[in-house]
Amino acid sequence: METPGSSLPGLSSRIKRQKSRKSVQATDKSARSLSKEDIAKFINSRKQNICVGLLQHGFHRSFSELFLLLRLDQERREGAEINSALSLQTPLEEQHAKMESIGLHLSRAEQAQRDGRWPAAYEQRLHLGTYFTAEGEDLWLSLHFYHTCTDAQEDGCMRHATEGRACLAELYLQQGQLDKAREQAELCVQMADEGGWLDSSGRSLPRRARESLWAIYSRQADARIKAGDPYGALELLHLGYTTATESENKHIEGEAAYQLGLAYYSVGNYDTSEQYLNTSMHICSTTEDFDGLGKAYKAVAKLCESKGNINTTIQLLEALVDISRSKSLHHHLVDACLCLGHVYTNRRQYDQARESLLQGYNVACDIGDVTLVQKAQVSLASAHTRCIVGKYSADVESTVPAALSRLLAWKVSRGLHEDSDHAGVCDY
């Protein structure tokens, strides 16, 4: 007689064999259901699958363009210096998400072209340009796709061509290629004025183009100034001021007027400089651009000092101190106090100078700006020294008994405390 459970081992083995047969049958069925395409997805690389997919669906132009970009990427990296940032970049063909995005939007653009929906085709290319702008190492891809938009000649696509040029101007400016940026921006202004379009984000294209063009003229003017060509810079700054005025952007118009004022000051044309600086002050005051207003105030104060109008200089700097304090413009407040201290020092008004410089030093300490703190320390020490020397010189030249007493007291104090931090201070 079998004991309870004596048949369980045999039953268990039969169950295992049945499960094994079912598993093999399921595997065979799964293998039979896989197509060649499914198997290829596992065997081939992602690059191969994307390219084959484009060809299988008839997107031959998209395949050719993607293949071209992959080749250009390889050539760029191979031509770069060893261990440079470019040579160490991950190859595009290994960045699967980016390749899939390119394939997807290019195929959509090609399908839109087949259907005669040209604006939709260029929208896809603008999308790709924007997508790769966010990646610093992929700006070359953005340039490629934006350039393909500028070729648009079909009806309803001029807005896309104009926006493409606006994007190119901004990218070239970002890369410091100012001549290319200027070329694209000037063409963009012409095209935008004809259409008056809005870009994909709803911004006015004429205004956007002029804002970029003003920035380009400004950068080119800076280059001329560094090259020792102030009059060439003035010509560019005038173009920039006109462009800024036409943009109806008061912020850059105020900045453009400020830059012209500084340029005319640098060539000694104080009257014209004052004209543009006052214009900048008026615009910044109207728009409540207090940072720009602070810069304009300092520039006009410096101009008045150069012309010998010291009282006006002091009034302007004191007004700037009040504005900076009320608007919490700490850096402008420090600069205004230091400038005011220097003016008072030059006028030998040493007590007022030390008061202004000390105020600037305290504010610099409060905001924790080490550079401003050091600058204020030097100015404050210089003013204090001039104050001591000035009083000492006056006593040396004086015949009043009190002056002689101060000199004798200082001599005694210097002898007693020559190793002290307070040596030589006495009444001076």
Side-chain angles (χ1 to χ4, degrees):
M1 182 175 180
E2 293 181 351
T3 59
S6 62
S7 62
L8 288 180
L11 177 62
S12 175
S13 62
R14 286 197 300 272
I15 291 174
K16 287 182 179 180
R17 286 195 297 272
Q18 289 174 356
K19 285 184 177 180
S20 177
R21 284 196 297 269
K22 288 181 180 179
S23 176
V24 171
Q25 290 172 357
T27 303
D28 293 341
K29 184 178 179 181
S30 176
R32 287 195 299 271
S33 65
L34 288 175
S35 66
K36 293 181 179 180
E37 290 78 9
D38 293 330
I39 296 173
K41 289 180 181 179
F42 293 99
I43 296 176
N44 297 334
S45 68
R46 188 67 63 88
K47 169 190 171 182
Q48 287 175 301
N49 288 330
I50 293 172
C51 292
V52 170
L54 289 174
L55 291 174
Q56 286 179 335
H57 291 87
F59 296 118
H60 300 283
R61 292 182 179 178
S62 301
F63 165 78
S64 298
E65 189 168 352
L66 175 58
F67 200 81
L68 169 67
L69 293 174
L70 291 171
R71 181 169 57 81
L72 290 175
D73 177 62
Q74 182 179 358
E75 291 175 354
R76 288 172 65 250
R77 288 182 291 102
E78 289 177 351
E81 295 182 2
I82 298 176
N83 294 328
S84 65
L86 178 55
S87 68
L88 298 176
Q89 284 181 9
T90 303
L92 179 58
E93 65 179 52
E94 296 179 13
Q95 301 185 66
H96 301 151
K98 293 178 181 178
M99 282 191 60
E100 289 176 351
S101 294
I102 294 173
L104 174 64
H105 291 285
L106 284 182
S107 60
R108 287 178 178 177
E110 188 171 348
Q111 184 62 56
Q113 288 177 339
R114 292 175 184 172
D115 299 340
R117 297 179 291 110
W118 287 95
Y122 287 111
E123 284 290 349
Q124 296 297 321
R125 291 184 171 277
L126 286 174
H127 177 85
L128 282 170
T130 304
Y131 174 78
F132 287 110
T133 301
E135 301 289 339
E137 64 182 27
D138 295 326
L139 290 182
W140 70 278
L141 286 169
S142 292
L143 292 172
H144 167 81
F145 290 115
Y146 286 140
H147 268 293
T148 62
C149 292
T150 61
D151 298 330
Q153 299 293 331
E154 296 79 11
D155 291 340
C157 298
M158 290 304 294
R159 192 270 294 176
H160 303 84
T162 305
E163 184 172 348
R165 292 198 185 279
C167 295
L168 284 174
E170 292 165 359
L171 284 181
Y172 281 132
L173 175 62
Q174 179 181 337
Q175 294 180 326
Q177 300 185 56
L178 301 182
D179 291 338
K180 289 184 177 180
R182 179 175 175 177
E183 178 186 2
Q184 294 295 336
E186 289 177 342
L187 286 171
C188 184
V189 167
Q190 296 174 13
M191 297 168 67
D193 284 344
E194 293 176 5
W197 301 286
L198 301 179
D199 65 12
S200 301
S201 63
R203 291 175 60 191
S204 167
L205 272 172
R207 176 170 177 169
R208 178 179 173 181
R210 283 180 168 80
E211 289 173 350
S212 295
L213 187 56
W214 165 77
I216 294 164
Y217 286 143
S218 177
R219 290 273 296 275
Q220 286 186 323
D222 289 341
R224 292 286 182 89
I225 290 173
K226 291 179 181 178
D229 182 14
Y231 292 100
L234 274 171
E235 182 180 349
L236 287 165
L237 289 173
H238 271 290
L239 289 173
Y241 180 69
T242 301
T243 303
T245 303
E246 293 173 350
S247 74
E248 299 181 354
N249 182 332
K250 287 297 181 181
H251 173 74
I252 67 172
E253 184 179 346
E255 179 65 20
Y258 170 76
Q259 291 178 356
L260 262 177
L262 292 185
Y264 274 112
Y265 176 83
S266 69
V267 298
N269 190 336
Y270 293 161
D271 292 337
T272 307
S273 173
E274 187 173 9
Q275 174 188 341
Y276 281 106
L277 290 175
N278 284 333
T279 299
S280 179
M281 288 175 61
H282 173 72
I283 293 173
C284 292
S285 178
T286 303
T287 59
E288 296 187 348
D289 177 7
F290 296 110
D291 185 61
L293 185 63
K295 294 194 303 182
Y297 259 101
K298 285 186 287 186
V300 175
K302 183 177 180 180
L303 174 63
C304 291
E305 185 180 12
S306 299
K307 295 171 68 174
N309 299 332
I310 304 302
N311 291 332
T312 305
T313 300
I314 292 175
Q315 292 173 3
L316 286 167
L317 291 174
E318 289 177 342
L320 178 57
V321 168
D322 294 337
I323 293 172
S324 301
R325 185 183 290 111
S326 65
K327 302 299 179 182
S328 298
L329 302 174
H330 302 299
H331 286 79
H332 283 308
L333 178 57
V334 175
D335 285 344
C337 289
L338 296 186
C339 290
L340 196 56
H342 294 153
V343 172
Y344 281 134
T345 299
N346 292 334
R347 299 188 74 179
R348 297 186 179 182
Q349 296 175 264
Y350 298 117
D351 291 334
Q352 294 94 322
R354 283 189 296 181
E355 181 181 350
S356 296
L357 293 171
L358 183 60
Q359 182 181 356
Y361 171 75
N362 290 333
V363 174
C365 290
D366 290 340
I367 62 178
D369 191 316
V370 176
T371 302
L372 282 179
V373 169
Q374 293 174 342
K375 182 179 178 181
Q377 283 178 326
V378 172
S379 298
L380 187 58
S382 176
H384 184 69
T385 301
R386 289 191 181 189
C387 180
I388 293 176
V389 172
K391 289 183 177 181
Y392 174 80
S393 299
D395 283 348
V396 169
E397 297 175 358
S398 176
T399 57
V400 178
L404 181 59
S405 298
R406 283 194 294 270
L407 289 172
L408 291 172
W410 173 75
K411 183 176 181 181
V412 172
S413 174
R414 183 182 180 188
L416 293 174
H417 306 287
E418 59 183 359
D419 295 327
S420 171
D421 290 339
H422 301 287
V425 174
C426 195
D427 291 334
Y428 297 110

